[in-house]
Amino acid sequence: MRSVTCSMTVSLDGYATDPDGGLDWGAPDEEVFRLATEEVRGTGVHLLGRRLYEAMLYWEDAEEDPSLGYSTREFADLWRALPKVVFSRTLTSVRGNARLATGTLAEEVERLRAEPGEGDIAIGGPDLVAQAAALDLVDEYRLRTNPVLLGGGTPLFPQDGRRTDLELLECRTLASQVLHLRYRVLRER
């Protein structure tokens, strides 16, 4: 069965965006970018909310930018080819290798897990990640914790009072002082 992963950039105080919704505090350097590229390489389908989908539209046409280096072009190629499912109440169409979700998050994940296919089911965007966590759909969290305290913004994790036990799979400090953490969700068997 395919694993559901959440890969996000987060501040040390647990926010995925700053109080104004900004993400500039988490702009990746080359090493973080390579890490994100490797995660996309292991993904079979990516589920994302409208705001993340719109932010990632840049990569649909990135090959037209002559200033892009090899690693950026590689990411763009992988991202364009990756099937995506977009959750939105306002969009009526999407571009590229994407489709609008036809069911709830839980229904889409269940359907994708039942389909044959390679790679993880990745979920991105703080609102969608919080929904997935609240529904206990996540198998693994992949966090890039930036050395910044934002003091507010969009929290990455739901504030629902529910405890989730985790097992640390990987911990690596990158040159930019970003801490890469991978945790598996522990469930009673």
Side-chain angles (χ1 to χ4, degrees):
M1 183 164 64
R2 297 164 83 179
S3 290
V4 175
T5 64
C6 293
S7 180
M8 293 287 297
T9 298
V10 64
S11 66
L12 184 59
D13 53 351
Y15 294 100
T17 69
D18 67 24
D20 297 322
L23 300 168
D24 60 337
W25 54 270
D29 67 1
E30 184 65 26
E31 185 179 20
V32 173
F33 198 79
R34 280 193 312 270
L35 178 67
T37 300
E38 286 309 309
E39 288 178 352
V40 169
R41 190 181 315 285
T43 300
V45 61
H46 202 290
L47 284 57
L48 55 167
R50 179 193 52 82
R51 284 180 287 190
L52 181 58
Y53 164 75
E54 289 174 342
M56 296 301 284
L57 279 175
Y58 167 80
W59 298 105
E60 294 297 324
D61 302 317
E63 79 277 354
E64 296 171 14
D65 184 348
S67 68
L68 293 182
Y70 171 77
S71 62
T72 337
R73 288 184 189 283
E74 180 184 24
F75 179 86
D77 291 343
L78 291 168
W79 184 259
R80 267 194 313 279
L82 182 65
K84 293 168 270 306
V85 179
V86 181
F87 290 80
S88 173
R89 292 181 198 90
T90 57
L91 293 177
T92 56
S93 65
V94 290
R95 291 181 21 202
N97 194 11
R99 68 171 176 83
L100 288 168
T102 56
T104 66
L105 179 58
E107 291 167 342
E108 290 286 348
V109 167
E110 181 180 348
R111 186 181 62 71
L112 290 165
R113 277 187 165 157
E115 288 179 353
E118 297 285 322
D120 297 325
I121 300 167
I123 299 178
D127 295 336
L128 209 56
V129 168
Q131 288 177 45
L135 293 167
D136 195 28
L137 298 174
V138 180
D139 298 308
E140 185 177 312
Y141 291 98
R142 299 171 180 173
L143 305 177
R144 291 177 297 278
T145 305
N146 283 42
V148 62
L149 299 172
L150 296 176
T154 305
L156 178 58
F157 299 106
Q159 306 297 309
D160 60 6
R162 188 175 62 84
R163 175 180 164 159
T164 303
D165 292 319
L166 306 170
E167 174 188 10
L168 181 64
L169 300 175
E170 181 180 0
C171 177
R172 184 173 13 143
T173 303
L174 307 178
S176 58
Q177 297 181 2
V178 168
L179 188 60
H180 169 65
L181 301 165
R182 282 183 52 224
Y183 289 99
R184 177 181 13 240
V185 174
L186 296 176
R187 295 185 173 92
E188 291 188 26
R189 298 180 192 267

